[in-house]
Amino acid sequence: MPIHYYLNILHRYRTYSVIASVIKNANVGELTEIKGWVKNLRVYKEVVFADISDGSCAKKLQIVIPKHLKADNLTYGSSVHIIGKLSKSPRGQLELTAEDVNVLGQCVVLDGYPFNPRTTHPPEYIRQYLHLRSRTNYISAVLRIRHAVTKHIHDFFTSNSYLYIHTPVLTSNDCEGAGEVFKVIPDNKATIKAMRQQDKCDDDVYFGTKTFLTVSGQLHLEAMCRGLGNVYTLGPTFRAENSRSRLHLSEFYMLEAELAFCDCLEELQKFIEDLLKYVFIETRNSNEDDLYLLDKEKKPPLWLDKNFVTLSYDEARNILKKKGLNTSEDGINKEQELALVDHCNGVPVFIVRWPKEQKSFYMKESQVDNTKVEALDLLAPITGEIVGGSLREDDYNKLKSKLPSEALNWYLELRKFGNIPTAGFGLGLERLLQVLCNVPNIKDTLPFPRWPHNCDM
Amino acid sequence: MPIHYYLNILHRYRTYSVIASVIKNANVGELTEIKGWVKNLRVYKEVVFADISDGSCAKKLQIVIPKHLKADNLTYGSSVHIIGKLSKSPRGQLELTAEDVNVLGQCVVLDGYPFNPRTTHPPEYIRQYLHLRSRTNYISAVLRIRHAVTKHIHDFFTSNSYLYIHTPVLTSNDCEGAGEVFKVIPDNKATIKAMRQQDKCDDDVYFGTKTFLTVSGQLHLEAMCRGLGNVYTLGPTFRAENSRSRLHLSEFYMLEAELAFCDCLEELQKFIEDLLKYVFIETRNSNEDDLYLLDKEKKPPLWLDKNFVTLSYDEARNILKKKGLNTSEDGINKEQELALVDHCNGVPVFIVRWPKEQKSFYMKESQVDNTKVEALDLLAPITGEIVGGSLREDDYNKLKSKLPSEALNWYLELRKFGNIPTAGFGLGLERLLQVLCNVPNIKDTLPFPRWPHNCDM
């Protein structure tokens, strides 16, 4: 049954229209009913002009309210129900001439409403009011874009026959071995008491094992990939780092994919490049007004019609050295990442084939140079690293010798029965949004940011 | 840029085809390259027949392997790369006559592979091998359906102008006040030490407040709804209950939606009914083979063309009383839920207008009877309760008097500025899959189930 059948059903009981459709259809002369919030008021002698938003799009609908309707408690921020007729203003703008105005909920700014009309509040200020900030133009535009980006990502993967897997949040693995994880225990002491076992510490009795919040769904995806083929996940991921930078969160969304039968880094790179270009192009089509609201210059990123650059880790180091920036044993730092993007004229750049000791145990040893692994980082403007990926070690014995813990024997066993080569990557959704929307601080790319000392609501 | 542009790009570097497309396109005579796993082998004198699956669909592709190709290490469970020509068998079945067979990874069942060919292992047995069970017909079919159901849900909401909001997993609220929550603390003692504060308990220093895993995104959705209009979320949710029933998980996915400007329970009911029917019909179209694999009888649920039933809580109690089942003060138990569905001939039934003391503080008091709230439960076959929802209390003073904690003052404040009526519901994705796929145990509806004493991998 086609979806518009259902839309028709819905229209039978939802009498009002969302403003996005009213503006899109522009049915001049039609009796129209809308509900939303007052974003702006201009009071004249005979008439009041009100700009109304219902959150469905960046644009506001202008309402012409004749004085006799006496909408006295109509103030900035109040919610309204308006019935009227659509027309075009002398300047060609779509407007609704009200025949009935009903204030649903008043808004008295003096009672403590933190936002003011015709004021652009700085993001740090708005961030103090997480529960109200979806009412601001800036945050609502970012969240509509976040919705669209998520949808385009799912479309890209579904069209390429990838299966969406809900990898678990709770895990007994500590995949990266970094130690910066959150542990999870029941809050209720009675539950713990009822489940207590002699040989277990109280923290571990619920699951019978120490349990963490996931830092990556990759190992789980690899298990799924060996039965279902191409798979991906997009879900919450956690780091218990004490970092308050503009690029870090304690809870963030990560897109991870595992490419079945992929045994070459170039194929992985091509896939990542196609994905990013697809999402950028589709979002510029679907959310033009929102992107304009965030960035009036609305320049498409200059790399959209260029090929991404590829540099080996050694080449990247030499470039940095010539610029007087020496890399340490730990790899390439944020300043150096951004210098490399700059060196490539702002075009994203893959850094490939990394020293083994800088990367994770599961990465495939290079056939050409056994001090290197077949890994990549993708560096982008604004954020630096945005994607990390690799071919996975598919040699049972090599993997066994590098396995950090016996608890991962299940992961080793994936190589024992009907094994296949695979490659995969992880991409931070919030960093992608920073690049796409030109948002300096990652905390403004999601509805409820969590970072050290901040877990409001 | 249309998505097939990208598909064309991808086809340029991925030379092989997924079996779902090979079967769908059925290009007899075409040279075809596939990769997958051996699900079945029939060895004859001159020829070997192998059934290959790559996880992309329920159907297997039959391969005809002439003896001279000598694929000796081709065993059940091994992974293969096959090139050949498509043809139709005398009985009209699509098959691939192999010209080249390459075993990528062997599978020696005697080395400890837990599955055997032509054997239907019971779910409890398969569940012991979470890392390998995506290779079984049953679990791979359920996971393909889970992908499709998720997609259909997103399509339904997007088409109805609902915005997808990623509500947080980490929260300082304990929304339901039930106490059955997990608390979250950094695992690294050095991090805690570095952040230690005199007035805080060590468990709370990281976020500066006691932090839990979410039990519901509803309150967060309500905040978003008052700026963005219609919103929904679909994400992981947690309960630290000591329950090992076939209907409970410690981590599960919950679909929650908040309907802006909705002030009537009938509108909410209609929306839920339309959503469920849409998802069921679309999934029967998109995943016919998977559903057939799970349930050979493939009967559409008998309620798909019927209207859902509505009973008031008091009516439901009377029906149960007549059946000799007395309800307690706590409401309606699982046995009684299923008896009510049975009473309605297996058609899902809304139980509406519940006693205030059985339901949460945020539910709207009934205008007709102030001992009741405008709440609903939807009961379905197999699982009983599948949806819970309500109108939200939008009266500032009534809500204030019922607010369980000062920590929720932000929630109260939503009613102070430009308030609107809203209604919403929560639906357990895994229970929906149980009803849709006729899966008795909830642990078989998701890739990595977590329940007491079980958090493997």
Side-chain angles (χ1 to χ4, degrees), chain A residues 1 3 6-7 9-10 13-14 16 35-37 54-55 77 79 105-106 108 111-113 131 134-135 140 143 146-147 150 155 158-164 166 168-173 179-188 191 195 205-207 210 220 223-230 236 238-242 250-251 253 260-261 267 270-271 274 277-278 281-282 410 413-414 416-420 447-448 450-457, chain B residues 1 3 6-7 9-10 13-14 16 35-37 54-55 77 79 105-106 108 111-113 131 134-135 140 143 146-147 150 155 158-160 162-164 166 168-173 179-188 191 195 205-207 210 212 220 223-230 236 238-242 250-251 253 260-261 267 270-271 274 278 281-282 285 410 413-414 416-420 447-448 450-455 457:
Chain A
M1 207 177 301
I3 201 158
Y6 288 95
L7 291 175
I9 293 179
L10 291 181
Y13 55 78
R14 193 179 69 192
Y16 71 97
K35 298 182 180 189
W37 292 268
D54 63 3
S79 51
Q106 284 188 266
V108 181
D111 267 2
Y113 193 59
H131 61 306
S134 69
R135 305 176 188 211
S140 61
L143 292 179
R146 187 178 171 104
H147 166 97
T150 306
D155 285 349
T158 298
S159 304
N160 282 295
S161 303
Y162 278 69
L163 218 60
Y164 182 21
H166 293 131
V169 167
L170 301 176
T171 175
S172 46
N173 303 332
E180 299 295 357
V181 292
F182 290 105
K183 70 174 179 183
V184 174
I185 46 182
D187 186 49
N188 191 336
T191 306
M195 299 177 77
V205 291
Y206 185 87
F207 284 117
K210 204 168 174 181
H220 297 95
M224 290 293 117
C225 184
R226 283 167 173 83
L228 292 162
N230 294 318
F238 305 85
R239 294 283 187 286
E241 291 167 334
N242 186 11
S250 306
E251 173 180 349
Y253 265 64
F261 305 105
E267 183 182 333
K270 191 88 187 69
F271 188 86
D274 282 349
K277 287 181 174 171
Y278 175 80
I281 292 169
E282 288 297 317
W410 67 265
E413 203 171 68
L414 298 179
K416 198 170 167 183
F417 303 110
N419 191 33
I420 60 170
F448 300 96
R450 275 75 179 91
W451 74 99
H453 302 304
N454 286 275
C455 186
D456 290 342
M457 305 168 55
Chain B
M1 207 178 300
I3 200 159
Y6 287 95
L7 291 176
I9 293 179
L10 291 181
Y13 54 77
R14 194 179 67 190
Y16 72 97
K35 299 184 179 186
W37 291 267
D54 63 3
S79 50
Q106 285 188 266
V108 180
D111 267 2
Y113 193 58
H131 61 305
S134 70
R135 306 175 187 210
S140 62
L143 293 178
R146 188 178 170 105
H147 166 97
T150 305
D155 286 348
T158 299
S159 304
N160 283 294
Y162 277 69
L163 219 60
Y164 182 22
H166 293 130
V169 167
L170 300 175
T171 175
S172 45
N173 304 333
E180 298 295 357
V181 292
F182 290 105
K183 70 174 181 184
V184 173
I185 47 182
D187 185 50
N188 191 336
T191 305
M195 298 177 79
V205 292
Y206 185 87
F207 285 118
K210 204 168 174 182
F212 308 101
H220 298 96
M224 290 293 118
C225 184
R226 283 167 175 82
L228 292 163
N230 295 318
F238 305 84
R239 295 281 187 287
E241 290 166 335
N242 185 13
S250 307
E251 174 179 349
Y253 264 64
F261 305 106
E267 184 181 334
K270 191 87 187 72
F271 187 87
D274 282 349
Y278 175 80
I281 292 170
E282 289 297 317
N285 290 338
W410 67 266
E413 204 172 69
L414 298 178
K416 197 169 167 184
F417 304 111
N419 190 35
I420 60 169
F448 299 96
R450 274 77 178 89
W451 74 100
H453 302 302
N454 286 275
C455 187
M457 306 168 54

Side-chain angles (χ1 to χ4, degrees), chain B residues 158-296:
Chain B
T158 299
S159 304
N160 283 294
S161 303
Y162 277 69
L163 219 60
Y164 182 22
I165 296 292
H166 293 130
T167 49
V169 167
L170 300 175
T171 175
S172 45
N173 304 333
D174 171 10
C175 164
E176 306 285 341
E180 298 295 357
V181 292
F182 290 105
K183 70 174 181 184
V184 173
I185 47 182
D187 185 50
N188 191 336
K189 294 213 166 42
T191 305
I192 294 175
K193 199 176 159 194
M195 298 177 79
R196 190 166 283 159
Q197 288 176 316
Q198 282 212 316
D199 59 332
K200 297 273 186 213
C201 125
D202 269 8
D203 282 4
D204 304 345
V205 292
Y206 185 87
F207 285 118
T209 173
K210 204 168 174 182
T211 304
F212 308 101
L213 296 184
T214 187
V215 295
S216 162
Q218 178 204 319
L219 305 190
H220 298 96
L221 275 187
E222 284 195 50
M224 290 293 118
C225 184
R226 283 167 175 82
L228 292 163
N230 295 318
V231 287
Y232 75 106
T233 189
L234 175 59
T237 313
F238 305 84
R239 295 281 187 287
E241 290 166 335
N242 185 13
S243 163
R244 265 158 280 190
S245 90
R246 64 173 188 86
L247 293 170
H248 289 87
L249 291 165
S250 307
E251 174 179 349
F252 57 98
Y253 264 64
M254 187 137 74
L255 170 66
E256 296 182 274
E258 199 68 19
L259 285 65
F261 305 106
C262 176
D263 56 5
C264 121
L265 214 51
E266 287 72 23
E267 184 181 334
L268 181 63
Q269 287 172 242
K270 191 87 187 72
F271 187 87
I272 294 166
E273 184 172 341
D274 282 349
L275 166 69
L276 288 181
K277 286 182 174 170
Y278 175 80
V279 169
F280 271 62
I281 292 170
E282 289 297 317
T283 307
R284 297 196 76 83
N285 290 338
S286 61
N287 289 63
E288 201 185 344
D289 294 337
D290 289 314
L291 286 165
Y292 181 74
L293 195 150
L294 297 177
D295 179 8
K296 295 282 180 289

